[in-house]
């Protein structure tokens, strides 16, 4: 009897007519999430010259051409941990303690003492930045954060996805792309909850001096605004320059430092980033706990890379880092000299990182109404593509990468110069 009753209740009416087509709307966060580089590049009609092989000076992946590879020690660390089989399961959401301790030791230099408890491991530096922006800024409260112009567009992507607005502070080209301190201060209001500081800089290749960093931190201290320090290119600076971490300056400003293996160790696809909570005054007590909660959304980063991390950080020889810097410095000099021969271009010699930014004197190229048209036409005629400055919120510039093989970089500079000399109007 009971079975029959259940059967009657479970009978469904079959509708023969075709139902209406559904349209499921994405969430506000998804609709707000934009890749600003892709927005620009995808709208360019990029058709290379079929008679010339394409040279891409646009990709920030240093491994793309295969000329720059991780150290043998880095590779062996992964092989060993894979064969050992001890890191195939879940790790604590903030990372294995020994991996966090290794990061703390690696970053404890120049008078800075980082503790294991200060370190949270993330899935790449972009994940570190996402956690930091999310923990400090709230779209519901109309918060804003300050970001550099020119600057890497991921900051804007991550902020606007959660309803947080961004305000740009200008970097000054003729001052080695230092921050315009007066402009930075003018952007601050009662809803500003963080200043993003990228040093060394992408796309500028600039390295801030200790005095300049102190000036920025003094503004942050005065207005009680935390710093998000994007230091993914830490120590990747050329001869005669010095990387100064914000943590070494004893500023009294609470700082969230973002970094990772991607650039200095040439393994961007391994997705190992970190956050260091550097807080001399105890302002981040609640922020620490909130960051742990945020890390629990993904249950931590790749455990194989975490397992190998102590060996990678401790055993990679300094000679590997020196060789990488020497290569990038040599390429920077080559590109700088090559592009000085191009009419209407003003290259800025970088002080570090993997990039060079170049000003386009647009008034000398009347055929083109924007840097976007300039980039599109250069691809069409010379099969060379550089990211327009519009990708970094500054028009009339372009960024080139310095990681490609030397012979390709030389060829690219020759083609760029030929293109400029062809279209330059005095």
């Amino acid at each position: 009897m009971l079975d029959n009753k259940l059967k009657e209740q479970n009978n469904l009416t079959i509708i023969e007519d075709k139902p209406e087509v559904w349209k499921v709307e994405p969430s506000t966060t998804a609709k707000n999430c934009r890749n600003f580089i892709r927005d620009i590049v995808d709208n360019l009609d990029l058709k290379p010259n079929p008679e010339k092989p394409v040279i891409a000076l646009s990709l920030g992946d240093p491994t793309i051409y295969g000329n720059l590879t991780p150290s043998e020690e880095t590779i062996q660390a992964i092989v060993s941990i894979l064969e050992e089989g001890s890191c195939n399961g879940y790790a604590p959401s903030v990372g294995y303690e020994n991996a966090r301790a290794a990061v703390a030791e690696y970053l404890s230099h120049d008078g800075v003492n980082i503790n294991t408890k200060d370190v949270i491991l993330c899935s790449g530096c972009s994940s570190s930045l996402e956690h930091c922006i999310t923990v400090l800024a709230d779209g519901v409260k109309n918060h804003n954060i300050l970001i550099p112009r020119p600057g890497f567009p991921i900051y804007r992507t991550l902020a606007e996805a959660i309803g947080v607005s961004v305000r740009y502070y200008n970097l000054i080209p003729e001052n080695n792309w230092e921050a315009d301190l007066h402009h930075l201060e003018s952007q601050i209001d009662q809803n500003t909850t963080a200043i993003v500081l990228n040093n060394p800089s992408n796309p500028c290749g600039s390295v801030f001096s200790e005095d300049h960093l102190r000036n920025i931190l003094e503004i942050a201290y005065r207005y009680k605004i935390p710093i998000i320090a994007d230091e993914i290119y830490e120590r990747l600076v050329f001869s005669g320059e010095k990387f100064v971490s914000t943590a070494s300056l004893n500023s009294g400003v609470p700082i969230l430092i973002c970094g990772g293996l991607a650039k200095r160790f040439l393994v961007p696809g391994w997705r190992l980033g970190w956050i260091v909570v550097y807080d001399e005054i105890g302002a981040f007590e609640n922020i620490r706990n909130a960051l742990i909660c945020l890390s629990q959304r993904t249950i931590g980063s790749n455990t194989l890379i975490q397992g190998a991390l102590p060996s990678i950080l401790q055993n990679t020889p300094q000679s590997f880092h020196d060789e990488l810097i020497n290569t990038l410095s040599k390429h920077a000099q080559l590109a700088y000299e090559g592009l000085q021969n191009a009419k209407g271009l003003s290259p800025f010699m970088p002080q570090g990182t993997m990039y060079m930014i170049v000003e386009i004197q647009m008034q000398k190229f009347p055929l083109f109404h924007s840097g976007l048209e300039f980039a599109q036409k250069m691809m069409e005629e010379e099969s060379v593509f550089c990211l327009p400055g519009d990708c970094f919120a500054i028009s009339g510039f372009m960024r080139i990468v310095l990681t490609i093989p030397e012979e390709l970089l030389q060829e690219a500079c020759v083609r760029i110069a030929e293109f400029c000399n062809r279209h330059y109007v005095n």
Side-chain angles (χ1 to χ4, degrees):
M1 176 75 75
L2 184 58
D3 287 345
N4 288 338
K5 200 168 189 180
L6 284 173
K7 287 178 183 177
E8 288 176 9
Q9 290 176 347
N10 286 327
N11 283 340
L12 298 176
T13 302
I14 306 300
I15 301 174
E16 297 295 341
D17 294 338
K18 187 176 180 179
E20 287 186 31
V21 176
W22 285 14
K23 286 191 177 179
V24 180
E25 289 297 314
S27 69
T28 300
T29 297
K31 287 191 288 188
N32 286 344
C33 190
R34 295 171 57 198
N35 182 319
F36 295 99
I37 292 180
R38 291 258 57 92
D39 278 357
I40 291 170
V41 173
D42 288 349
N43 286 315
L44 295 178
D45 185 16
L46 296 175
K47 296 177 180 177
N49 185 334
E51 298 181 0
K52 297 183 179 183
V54 172
I55 303 176
L57 295 178
S58 56
L59 301 173
D61 181 349
T63 72
I64 198 75
Y65 280 96
N67 57 310
L68 298 178
T69 58
S71 70
E72 288 296 325
E73 291 80 5
T74 296
I75 298 299
Q76 189 53 51
I78 291 295
V79 172
S80 297
I81 208 70
L82 184 61
E83 291 177 342
E84 185 181 301
S86 60
C87 296
N88 295 328
Y90 291 122
S93 65
V94 294
Y96 290 128
E97 185 165 356
N98 68 328
R100 295 163 62 209
V103 172
E105 180 183 3
Y106 169 74
L107 295 176
S108 292
H109 58 85
D110 295 335
V112 178
N113 182 30
I114 306 295
N115 295 314
T116 301
K117 67 179 179 62
D118 299 324
V119 179
I120 295 173
L121 300 184
C122 304
S123 184
C125 190
S126 56
S127 176
S128 305
L129 290 164
E130 179 185 26
H131 285 353
C132 292
I133 291 172
T134 302
V135 82
L136 292 177
D138 193 335
V140 175
K141 297 179 180 179
N142 295 319
H143 287 165
N144 66 74
I145 63 172
L146 306 192
I147 65 176
R149 177 170 52 205
F152 195 52
I154 191 70
Y155 312 133
R156 182 181 172 190
T157 296
L158 296 173
E160 291 187 350
I162 58 172
V164 172
S165 60
V166 300
R167 295 183 171 194
Y168 290 102
Y169 63 89
N170 293 333
L171 307 182
I172 307 173
E174 54 270 25
N175 286 3
N176 285 326
W177 298 100
E178 288 186 344
D180 182 333
L181 299 176
H182 296 293
H183 186 247
L184 186 156
E185 188 169 4
S186 74
Q187 300 306 298
I188 296 172
D189 69 7
Q190 70 276 11
N191 291 327
T192 303
T193 59
I195 299 171
V196 176
L197 181 60
N198 178 209
N199 177 55
S201 165
N202 175 14
C204 302
S206 56
V207 179
F208 288 163
S209 68
E210 179 178 327
D211 286 345
H212 188 58
L213 286 170
R214 288 190 184 280
N215 288 335
I216 295 172
L217 290 167
E218 170 58 31
I219 294 172
Y221 183 83
R222 195 183 322 140
Y223 288 91
K224 294 184 171 56
I225 300 173
I227 293 287
I228 299 174
D230 181 357
E231 297 183 357
I232 187 62
Y233 297 97
E234 52 94 19
R235 286 183 269 184
L236 202 57
V237 301
F238 300 159
S239 177
E241 303 295 337
K242 178 177 172 56
F243 165 70
V244 178
S245 175
T246 49
S248 70
L249 300 179
N250 305 117
S251 64
V253 177
I255 305 167
L256 298 178
I257 301 171
C258 299
L261 289 181
K263 308 299 184 179
R264 192 168 186 242
F265 292 84
L266 299 176
V267 286
W270 289 11
R271 312 309 301 143
L272 196 293
W274 53 68
I275 300 168
V276 172
V277 181
Y278 195 78
D279 179 19
E280 303 166 278
I281 60 174
F284 274 164
E285 180 180 348
N286 294 331
I287 293 298
R288 286 178 184 271
N289 295 330
L291 282 170
I292 293 172
C293 291
L294 287 174
S295 73
Q296 291 167 349
R297 295 186 301 176
T298 56
I299 322 181
S301 60
N302 186 300
T303 55
L304 289 176
I305 312 303
Q306 286 189 49
L309 192 56
S311 180
I312 292 171
L313 295 178
Q314 294 162 12
N315 297 332
T316 300
Q318 183 60 40
S319 58
F320 169 81
H321 299 302
D322 292 342
E323 184 178 351
L324 174 59
I325 288 172
N326 290 339
T327 297
L328 294 172
S329 179
K330 180 181 179 182
H331 287 193
Q333 189 64 44
L334 184 156
Y336 183 76
E337 293 173 358
L339 295 179
Q340 280 188 317
N341 296 325
K343 293 180 179 179
L345 294 187
S346 299
F348 290 83
M349 184 65 184
Q351 300 164 293
T353 76
M354 302 176 166
Y355 313 104
M356 174 183 287
I357 196 163
V358 181
E359 185 174 10
I360 308 167
Q361 298 166 26
M362 293 303 303
Q363 71 276 13
K364 300 295 186 179
F365 300 98
L367 180 64
F368 313 118
H369 296 100
S370 68
L372 300 177
E373 289 186 13
F374 183 96
Q376 183 172 303
K377 192 67 174 177
M378 188 164 68
M379 181 65 159
E380 180 182 318
E381 294 184 9
E382 298 296 340
S383 295
V384 175
F385 183 62
C386 306
L387 279 185
D390 305 73
C391 294
F392 307 98
I394 185 169
S395 60
F397 289 79
M398 62 183 178
R399 187 198 75 173
I400 68 172
V401 299
L402 303 171
T403 56
I404 72 172
E406 184 175 328
E407 62 276 11
L408 287 182
L409 185 59
Q410 287 178 320
E411 174 65 20
C413 289
V414 168
R415 293 193 206 173
I416 292 172
E418 289 177 351
F419 174 81
C420 291
N421 296 344
R422 186 184 312 130
H423 292 287
Y424 180 89
V425 177
N426 199 345

